[in-house]
Amino acid sequence: MTELAGAAGYLLEAGLLKRARRSGWWIAGIRDPESIAEHSWRAALTGMVLASLEGADPARTAMLCILHDTPETRIGDIPKIGHHYLDATDPETIVADQTAECPDPVAGTIRDAIAEFEAGETAEAQCAKDADKLECLIQAVEYRHQGVATVGRWIDSSLAALKTDAARELAQEVLEANPLAWEQVRARPSG
């Protein structure tokens, strides 16, 4: 076993997030919801935007967003209602197990990021947490646009959880937007 075998194992494990579905949407009647990885990817984009608007580090925020749900490879995506009935191991403990065989610099980067996200004290963590909620709101708006009428409480709870001014303002824009309006936007030629 080489020094990088643990990092390879971590990357292979993280691949499970491409196949694991965001299970809370099943309650809303979504037959084939997005994967955890798809959620984390758009949360990272959202976090980058929020951090840019809030004066935080966009790259750090995006990294926190990419990593924030990686513990779900071990415990799955527990919907909000499930938290009432289950006591899941804290993310820091799960990540310590996930990265136990990784080289120290890799393990440290991942563990520090998860701890920062969970603590929610830095500007980047606050933007990342808002990005997590705002991405859920964006997804709910897209599902609503597709005719799913049962996503209102996801929109409301996501909106209520937002802390930063940029996230609240962006959420209002999303709520008022046509999800397909972007296809009409064209760059004007310079010159």
Side-chain angles (χ1 to χ4, degrees), residues 16-171:
L16 293 173
L17 298 177
K18 293 168 51 174
R19 297 184 297 281
R21 298 288 162 202
R22 300 257 298 160
S23 61
W25 292 119
W26 289 326
I27 296 167
I30 307 299
R31 181 183 293 277
D32 187 27
E34 80 276 10
S35 71
I36 297 168
E38 289 167 326
H39 159 73
S40 294
W41 174 79
R42 185 160 57 183
L45 289 178
T46 305
M48 179 192 67
V49 168
L50 292 178
S52 297
L53 294 169
E54 288 286 324
D57 180 348
R60 179 81 183 167
T61 302
M63 182 179 76
L64 298 179
C65 291
I66 286 292
L67 293 171
H68 84 280
D69 279 337
T70 56
E72 293 183 8
T73 63
R74 304 267 171 123
I75 60 170
D77 178 45
I78 303 168
K80 191 171 188 170
I81 193 170
H83 290 276
H84 179 75
Y85 301 100
L86 301 172
D87 290 322
T89 301
D90 65 273
E92 291 95 337
T93 300
I94 295 168
V95 170
D97 287 346
Q98 289 175 313
T99 60
E101 298 297 319
C102 288
D104 289 342
V106 174
T109 296
I110 296 166
R111 290 174 187 172
D112 290 350
I114 294 297
E116 181 180 350
F117 179 85
E118 291 300 321
E121 295 173 357
T122 65
E124 291 75 18
Q126 291 165 7
C127 287
K129 284 183 170 287
D130 271 3
D132 182 34
K133 299 300 182 190
L134 184 53
E135 197 289 323
C136 184
L137 181 142
I138 294 167
Q139 187 63 63
V141 166
E142 289 174 338
Y143 286 146
R144 183 178 67 185
H145 186 74
Q146 295 168 10
V148 179
T150 56
V151 296
R153 70 182 208 216
W154 280 264
I155 292 171
D156 294 342
S157 66
S158 295
L159 191 57
L162 299 175
K163 306 285 187 231
T164 63
D165 290 338
R168 288 190 295 270
E169 292 170 16
L170 190 52

